[in-house]
Amino acid sequence: MILEIRLENFFSIDEEVVLDMRAANIQSKKAKDLEGNTFVCNGERLLKTVAIYGANASGKSNVIKAIRACVQMIFESHNYNENTVFGFMPFKFGGVGKPSRFLIRFLLDGIEYEYSFSMTKLEIITEELYYYPHGRRSLVFARDERKGPEKKDIYEFRSAISRPMDVATNTSKKTLFVSRASQMDRKIAKEVFQYFMERFILNYFGYNSYSIDTLLHQNKDSLLKVLNVADSDIIDIQSQRELKPLTMATYDLQNNQIVSRDEVQKMQLKITTFHKNNPEIPFDFATEESQGTQALFYMMLTIMNIIKENKVLLIDEIDTSLHNKLVEYIIRLFHQSDSAQLIYTTHNTYLLDTDKLRKDQVYFVNKRQDGSSELYSLFDFKDFRENMDLEKAYMQGRFDGVPYID
């Protein structure tokens, strides 16, 4: 579970922005009616969902991009070579040359962790991991490459990691220590790495989502119910693995030669659907179902697994190709979960309703005069009362975060 994320000098973000998943102390009747939008862990009340609103080009997508870029660093940095350039851009109007910084506080097996690192596009500068095993902040390791060149000067350790200098010796400036330590089977680093790999889902599909075959096997009945809610007439879904048939793709046209049979005939998942009008007639899912149905199918498989396993999901533009009612249904699924969390950007003002979202669940991104993005919460506007029309106030520009057209 996420407590807080801090970002500085990524893309259009210049000064530090804070995304706080801790629920504010709101005692109003509406907040109490929406208590299901929160959950309690370790005595801390956390939000299940956070919506980020903003005009086009305001930088709301950059909040998601920055988080993804940093988490991908954790996934991949132990494989980086000396010629690697990290996959992000610092703020161009003043951030170039300054380090970019990422910090996340999260709960893992009931213990709070605080992990951070700073970097340029070419190298890691600092990295720190703290945890609270007995309710008190304790250092796991700290790293500052500016104190080098000797590893013993760069790193500071306590007793949480065994033989830490063996790991440090094998950690270059291109590599996060937590990634290398996990690769070298150090327990606490491995647990942190697995948290991001298994619990922190960057998109509906991609780096660390489960295979479609596994998800379909586990969630078939629930998926059919969701498709029914979406007004689909699909009543059954079957899947099997089969050899990919030989096609024109067998030929390498550029070199005028035939590709080997092993390269072409590989096992692939074939999905077949059956419809209410005639349940006996099979439909090939990949070629005969609409793109909208396919997108909803893959999306909901991932979401159901995330909700069942109480994971975290990042989604940019959640309303893309989805009806308002479906977006509302997805968010309601998270609110009905035990402790799953969803962070999403959207233009969908239909959801800007204090009967559906608490004030601390709504964030806005606005572009300043210098081109940088600022992030702030509706909760920061103390003069906005919950009985006011939130959607109307937003569209009138009361919180900024909307385009102004002359």
Side-chain angles (χ1 to χ4, degrees):
M1 298 87 169
I2 297 175
L3 299 173
E4 178 185 55
I5 296 175
R6 294 175 178 262
L7 302 164
E8 182 179 344
N9 196 26
F10 289 98
F11 304 108
S12 64
I13 299 167
D14 183 14
E15 298 175 358
E16 182 182 78
V17 300
V18 181
L19 186 65
D20 199 339
M21 299 297 290
R22 295 169 297 177
N25 184 21
I26 307 175
Q27 299 298 324
S28 66
K29 181 181 182 302
K30 281 196 174 183
K32 291 177 180 177
D33 290 342
L34 295 173
E35 194 171 278
N37 293 15
T38 68
F39 65 99
V40 176
C41 185
N42 271 27
E44 189 97 57
R45 184 168 293 278
L46 304 176
L47 301 172
K48 293 180 180 177
T49 67
V50 160
I52 302 175
Y53 284 84
N56 289 330
S58 63
K60 64 183 184 300
S61 293
N62 286 338
V63 175
I64 301 295
K65 279 175 62 179
I67 298 171
R68 285 176 176 164
C70 293
V71 175
Q72 287 171 7
M73 283 282 295
I74 298 170
F75 292 164
E76 299 177 347
S77 69
H78 56 279
N79 295 319
Y80 288 168
N81 294 317
E82 287 305 305
N83 61 347
T84 299
V85 177
F86 301 147
F88 76 97
M89 287 295 297
F91 180 60
K92 281 196 169 183
F93 303 131
V96 177
K98 296 192 304 184
S100 301
R101 187 168 185 268
F102 168 74
L103 180 146
I104 182 168
R105 293 174 55 222
F106 59 97
L107 292 170
L108 172 59
D109 295 332
I111 298 175
E112 181 179 336
Y113 290 78
E114 179 184 305
Y115 177 63
S116 65
F117 59 85
S118 65
M119 59 184 176
T120 65
K121 281 185 64 65
L122 298 176
E123 62 185 22
I124 309 296
I125 297 175
T126 64
E127 185 181 5
E128 295 178 331
L129 177 63
Y130 292 87
Y131 72 146
Y132 297 71
H134 306 293
R136 297 180 61 182
R137 192 170 188 251
S138 178
L139 176 70
V140 177
F141 72 87
R143 166 190 187 183
D144 189 341
E145 294 287 345
R146 294 168 298 189
K147 295 179 179 179
E150 298 297 326
K151 298 288 186 179
K152 62 181 178 61
D153 299 322
I154 293 171
Y155 286 90
E156 180 183 356
F157 301 101
R158 294 295 184 266
S159 57
I161 294 181
S162 63
R163 305 188 312 282
M165 287 307 297
D166 290 354
V167 180
T169 301
N170 287 280
T171 303
S172 75
K173 290 185 179 182
K174 298 286 187 180
T175 304
L176 292 171
F177 179 88
V178 77
S179 301
R180 180 68 74 207
S182 173
Q183 185 189 44
M184 296 178 69
D185 208 27
R186 298 306 195 267
K187 185 175 184 295
I188 194 168
K190 197 169 185 176
E191 290 170 350
V192 170
F193 183 90
Q194 287 176 340
Y195 166 80
F196 286 104
M197 180 59 73
E198 298 173 5
R199 317 294 300 179
F200 203 106
I201 311 303
L202 302 183
N203 207 338
Y204 296 127
F205 28 76
Y207 273 92
N208 52 346
S209 57
Y210 279 61
S211 70
I212 296 302
D213 197 7
T214 301
L215 293 178
L216 182 56
H217 176 73
Q218 294 174 348
N219 299 284
K220 177 180 173 180
D221 292 341
S222 299
L223 178 63
L224 289 172
K225 290 179 183 177
V226 170
L227 293 175
N228 182 256
V229 168
D231 204 25
S232 167
D233 64 350
I234 295 175
I235 59 171
D236 193 19
I237 302 171
Q238 296 178 7
S239 64
Q240 64 182 40
R241 292 203 167 271
E242 61 180 30
L243 284 175
K244 184 177 180 180
L246 292 169
T247 65
M248 285 298 292
T250 307
Y251 297 94
D252 182 347
L253 299 179
Q254 183 175 358
N255 298 313
N256 195 29
Q257 63 183 11
I258 297 178
V259 179
S260 73
R261 182 183 181 89
D262 289 340
E263 290 178 349
V264 176
Q265 288 201 322
K266 294 182 178 179
M267 295 297 292
Q268 67 174 3
L269 182 66
K270 178 177 175 60
I271 300 174
T272 306
T273 54
F274 299 86
H275 292 249
K276 187 190 305 181
N277 293 342
N278 192 331
E280 304 300 320
I281 298 178
F283 280 68
D284 179 67
F285 181 77
T287 61
E288 296 182 302
E289 294 292 354
S290 70
Q291 290 185 346
T293 297
Q294 291 181 33
L296 181 64
F297 172 89
Y298 293 122
M299 182 189 308
M300 292 311 302
L301 274 180
T302 303
I303 286 174
M304 285 184 291
N305 174 261
I306 288 167
I307 289 171
K308 182 187 295 184
E309 301 293 333
N310 294 308
K311 302 178 182 180
V312 179
L313 175 63
L314 301 179
I315 292 297
D316 186 25
E317 303 291 2
I318 193 174
D319 44 344
T320 301
S321 303
L322 292 179
H323 190 277
N324 284 348
K325 290 291 186 181
L326 268 176
V327 175
E328 186 177 18
Y329 177 75
I330 290 170
I331 294 167
R332 191 162 67 244
L333 286 177
F334 275 87
H335 289 163
Q336 292 171 352
S337 72
D338 291 332
S339 57
Q341 290 180 299
L342 170 67
I343 299 171
Y344 64 97
T345 69
T346 181
H347 289 289
N348 190 343
T349 59
Y350 173 77
L351 298 169
L352 277 176
D353 185 342
T354 53
D355 289 331
K356 299 171 184 174
L357 296 175
R358 293 162 48 103
K359 289 173 65 174
D360 51 357
Q361 289 182 272
V362 179
Y363 275 76
F364 303 107
V365 174
N366 185 52
K367 183 159 283 190
R368 298 188 181 101
Q369 290 294 322
D370 65 358
S372 66
S373 299
E374 57 180 339
L375 176 71
Y376 47 89
S377 169
L378 175 62
F379 182 72
D380 297 333
F381 292 83
K382 304 302 181 185
D383 60 337
F384 180 82
R385 298 187 299 276
E386 290 176 336
N387 60 349
M388 295 179 175
D389 188 327
L390 176 55
E391 181 180 17
K392 182 178 178 181
Y394 172 68
M395 295 303 294
Q396 289 175 339
R398 180 165 181 174
F399 316 113
D400 286 325
V402 292
Y404 292 94
I405 302 173
D406 187 348

